[in-house]
């Protein structure tokens, strides 16, 4: 008796029936069927080889694909992407954090809960990307100028179920001073999260700033001053930060480790 191997043909290749056409509008998230690359539409272009679409994944990586029939998955279903027409309806506007914008929304009265960050630069970055979301939720962000006295700060705040406290910490890695301080706070109504970088500057993607990478600064040297010196910038850390901040337009310009931490804090503080 002749035996046959199982049919391993992907489902989208078994039946070449016409697939729904979907306009490849900016921010539409799709998956390319042959590579599994998943990302948001950045742009569509007309090339000598035919129309293409550029996708950006959540790490900021770009890939270019042809607009081939049945070439993409949208919410798990095979579709054919086509170039959007000039008259296509506009997609819902989004905030810098990627949330759907709420036209005409008014700021909510501030909650008792708060989000604390270490410094002014952290607060300015959070405001630029999540400011619209925070105003709608009524969450106030304050900066501490360091967390050396965090246990006393938490005690003074007196957190509770109706007044939760979220804290964003720089350089929250195993064995660091920051991790030891964070571990000393055990209140159930306090959430401490962070990112692995020495300073929040590093949470901005180097590609967004236009540099090859964040330089290493020798121990004992002021980190921000050392960065300016290594990059050939004037040793004015305030001006350097304003330059960096000006390059941040949305969550896509930030490292995923910071994105997840801030979203976690907002969810914690606003939970019923």
């Amino acid at each position: 008796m002749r035996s046959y191997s199982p049919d391993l043909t992907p489902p989208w290749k078994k039946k070449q029936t016409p697939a729904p056409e979907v306009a490849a509008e900016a921010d539409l998230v799709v998956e390319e069927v042959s590579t599994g690359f998943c990302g948001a539409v950045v742009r569509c272009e007309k090339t000598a080889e035919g129309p293409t679409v550029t996708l950006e994944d959540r790490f900021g990586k770009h890939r270019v694909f042809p607009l081939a029939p049945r070439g993409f998955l949208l919410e798990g279903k095979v579709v054919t992407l086509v170039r959007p027409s000039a008259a296509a309806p506009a997609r819902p506007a989004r905030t810098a954090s990627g949330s759907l914008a709420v036209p005409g929304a008014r700021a909510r009265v501030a909650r008792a809960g708060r989000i604390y960050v270490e410094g002014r630069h952290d607060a300015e970055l959070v405001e630029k990307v999540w400011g619209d979301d925070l105003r709608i939720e009524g969450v106030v962000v304050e900066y501490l100028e360091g967390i050396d006295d965090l246990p006393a700060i938490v005690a003074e705040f007196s957190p509770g179920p109706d007044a939760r406290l979220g804290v964003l910490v720089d350089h929250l890695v195993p064995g660091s001073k920051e991790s030891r301080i964070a571990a000393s706070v055990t209140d159930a109504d306090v959430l401490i999260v962070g990112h692995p970088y020495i300073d929040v500057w590093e949470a901005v993607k180097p590609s967004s700033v236009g540099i090859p990478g964040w330089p290493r600064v020798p121990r004992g040297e002021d980190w921000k001053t050392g960065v300016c010196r290594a990059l050939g910038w004037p040793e004015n850390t305030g001006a350097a930060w304003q330059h960096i901040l000006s390059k941040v337009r949305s969550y896509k310009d930030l490292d995923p480790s910071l994105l997840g931490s801030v979203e976690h804090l907002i969810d914690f503080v606003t939970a019923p």
Side-chain angles (χ1 to χ4, degrees):
M1 177 181 292
R2 180 179 297 178
S3 62
Y4 296 89
S5 60
D7 183 2
L8 300 180
T9 305
W12 57 82
K13 290 186 177 180
K14 289 184 179 180
K15 294 183 179 180
Q16 293 301 317
T17 55
E21 292 189 350
V22 177
E25 298 172 359
D27 295 331
L28 179 72
V29 177
V30 294
E31 178 182 338
E32 203 277 329
V33 295
S34 63
T35 63
F37 186 89
C38 183
V41 173
V42 175
R43 60 182 171 272
C44 283
E45 297 177 299
K46 187 176 181 180
T47 71
E49 290 76 26
T52 64
V53 62
T54 301
L55 303 182
E56 179 184 67
D57 70 9
R58 66 190 186 94
F59 300 108
K61 183 180 180 180
H62 285 199
R63 291 278 298 274
V64 180
F65 300 100
L67 288 181
R70 304 176 58 83
F72 298 87
L73 297 177
L74 175 61
E75 297 180 351
K77 297 181 180 179
V78 179
V79 298
T80 296
L81 289 188
V82 296
R83 296 181 67 197
S85 64
R91 292 179 60 79
R94 294 185 177 272
T95 66
S97 70
S99 302
L100 284 177
V102 183
R106 302 178 65 179
R108 177 176 174 169
V109 174
R111 295 173 181 266
R114 291 286 189 274
I115 291 177
Y116 285 170
V117 298
E118 285 206 52
R120 181 169 58 84
H121 294 179
D122 307 68
E124 289 176 347
L125 185 60
V126 169
E127 162 61 27
K128 185 160 188 180
V129 176
W130 288 275
D132 289 339
D133 308 65
L134 293 168
R135 280 183 284 277
I136 289 176
E137 295 291 349
V139 178
V140 175
V141 175
E142 301 178 11
Y143 67 89
L144 303 174
E145 293 294 358
I147 63 162
D148 288 351
D149 298 322
L150 187 59
I153 292 169
V154 170
E156 183 179 358
F157 182 83
S158 298
D162 296 323
R164 291 182 167 186
L165 178 62
V167 185
L168 180 68
V169 177
D170 298 339
H171 200 221
L172 193 61
V173 296
S176 68
K177 176 192 76 173
E178 291 82 0
S179 68
R180 291 192 294 273
I181 294 173
S184 69
V185 178
T186 58
D187 194 304
D189 295 307
V190 178
L191 175 65
I192 302 174
V193 297
H195 57 78
Y197 300 116
I198 294 174
D199 191 274
V200 78
W201 287 20
E202 282 190 287
V204 180
K205 292 179 179 177
S207 58
S208 297
V209 184
I211 59 176
W214 291 105
R216 293 184 176 275
V217 176
R219 281 181 173 272
E221 182 177 351
D222 178 73
W223 188 85
K224 292 175 182 176
T225 302
V227 166
C228 292
R229 187 175 297 136
L231 293 175
W233 294 351
E235 293 181 21
N236 181 332
T237 58
W241 169 243
Q242 291 307 312
H243 169 71
I244 296 166
L245 187 63
S246 72
K247 302 300 182 182
V248 177
R249 295 173 177 81
S250 76
Y251 72 97
K252 296 179 181 180
D253 296 305
L254 302 180
D255 184 85
S257 64
L258 179 64
L259 298 178
S261 292
V262 176
E263 297 286 352
H264 196 181
L265 289 177
I266 294 174
D267 290 343
F268 178 78
V269 173
T270 60

